[in-house]
Each structure stands twice: as C-alpha cells, then as structure tokens.
C-alpha cells in the first residue's frame, strides 16, 4: 500500500476549506468524510496530526498570516488560499517533521491546482515571509553555516 502525502495535504486543505464555512462542525468528522473515497491512498496518521494541529493553532496561524500580509486582511483572502496558508503555516511553524521547503512547495502546488490565477505567487510570498520570521529559519541558516565551515 502506497500512501500519497500530496493527496493527504489536498484532503487536509479541502477539510479546512469546508470547516471555514461550518466552524462549529467537528473538523475530524469533516476530514474523514472528505477522505473516504480515497482513504486507501491517504496517510491517515499524518492527516489527523496536521488537521488537529492546524485547528488547535488556527488563531496563532491567522495572526501570523495577517502580520505577514498586512495589505491582505484575512477576510479578503479567498477561502481556498486561506485554507492552504493555514495548513502550510502549521507545517512550517509547528510540525518539525516537515522540512520548511516541502511545506512551501506543496502549498504552492496545491494553490496552482485549486487557487486563482495569482494564488501560487501570493501563497509563496506569504509563506516565505512566515518562514523568514520563524525560529526554523534561524536553525536552517545555522545548519548551512555549519556545513560551510
């Protein structure tokens, strides 16, 4: 059985998208319903982890997105883009198992598939800013410097 992390991220984004319209619903119930048709190809453990983590940290992530894109108030960002940013924001800032470049690249790819014409550029810019302002950026820089010594 081969699980597909990209598909799992897409399911997570779609679940967050639906949850944005039904915030009182159980996010895991939404996620498990959305994944049902493709469950055998989904990394369920990863999916549950990122969904629970994103939901738990959503206010903090939203606040960081707002600071990273001050000219774009959260309510003006499309729900698709907001869902992608929330998921990638969680992966980037909270999930140390996901390399930052992977979180950003995957978000950009999902934006190209599901977002609007400028979504991928917008998401790449916001996530780049989030990453550069995060503790992980400092760690990555230190690793690079250590490699070059």
């Amino acid at each position: 059985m081969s699980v597909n992390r990209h598909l799992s991220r897409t399911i997570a984004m779609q679940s967050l998208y639906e949850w944005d319209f039904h915030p009182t619903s159980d996010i895991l119930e939404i996620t498990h319903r959305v994944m049902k048709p493709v469950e055998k190809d989904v990394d369920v453990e990863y999916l549950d982890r990122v969904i629970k983590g994103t939901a738990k940290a959503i206010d903090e992530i939203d606040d960081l997105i707002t600071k990273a894109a001050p000219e774009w108030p959260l309510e003006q960002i499309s729900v698709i883009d907001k869902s992608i940013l929330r998921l990638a924001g969680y992966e980037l800032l909270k999930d140390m198992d996901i390399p930052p470049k992977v979180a950003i690249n995957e978000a950009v790819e999902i934006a190209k598939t599901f977002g609007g014409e400028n979504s991928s550029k917008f998401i790449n810019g916001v996530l780049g800013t989030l990453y550069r302002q995060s503790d992980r950026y400092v760690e990555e820089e230190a690793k690079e410097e250590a490699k070059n010594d």
Side-chain angles (χ1 to χ4, degrees):
M1 178 186 94
S2 166
V3 296
N4 182 327
R5 199 44 87 78
H6 182 74
L7 175 64
S8 302
R9 273 189 186 87
T10 302
I11 300 288
M13 180 277 297
Q14 290 169 328
S15 302
L16 290 166
Y17 177 87
E18 183 174 327
W19 193 49
D20 198 78
F21 292 99
H22 305 284
T24 58
S25 297
D26 180 332
I27 185 68
L28 281 177
E29 279 180 24
I30 293 171
T31 304
H32 287 220
R33 182 176 36 73
V34 171
M35 98 174 156
K36 256 304 176 237
V38 291
E39 190 170 6
K40 68 182 185 343
D41 299 320
V42 173
D43 182 342
V44 179
E45 187 182 313
Y46 157 82
L47 185 57
D48 283 356
R49 183 179 82 229
V50 297
I51 283 294
K52 286 179 195 168
T54 304
K56 186 176 171 194
I58 200 152
D59 292 336
E60 180 187 351
I61 293 166
D62 284 355
D63 187 47
L64 291 168
I65 291 167
T66 301
K67 288 177 181 155
E71 65 285 357
W72 284 95
L74 214 51
E75 58 278 359
Q76 287 183 14
I77 298 173
S78 77
V79 179
I80 286 280
D81 290 357
K82 193 167 38 172
S83 301
I84 296 168
L85 285 169
R86 285 171 168 168
L87 173 63
Y90 169 77
E91 286 191 331
L92 198 56
L93 305 169
K94 301 282 185 188
D95 193 326
M96 297 306 134
D97 293 337
I98 309 288
K101 285 185 171 83
V102 171
I104 294 170
N105 290 341
E106 283 288 314
V108 168
E109 287 308 309
I110 291 171
K112 286 178 182 174
T113 303
F114 294 95
E117 193 178 323
N118 298 313
S119 292
S120 60
K121 287 187 187 102
F122 173 68
I123 284 168
N124 191 44
V126 173
L127 293 176
T129 300
L130 283 181
Y131 175 55
R132 284 188 298 280
Q133 294 172 349
S134 76
D135 296 341
R136 289 185 85 182
Y137 184 69
V138 177
E139 289 170 23
E140 294 290 318
E141 290 292 297
K143 282 183 199 169
E144 281 301 310
E145 285 174 22
K147 260 198 303 197
N148 295 332
D149 284 347

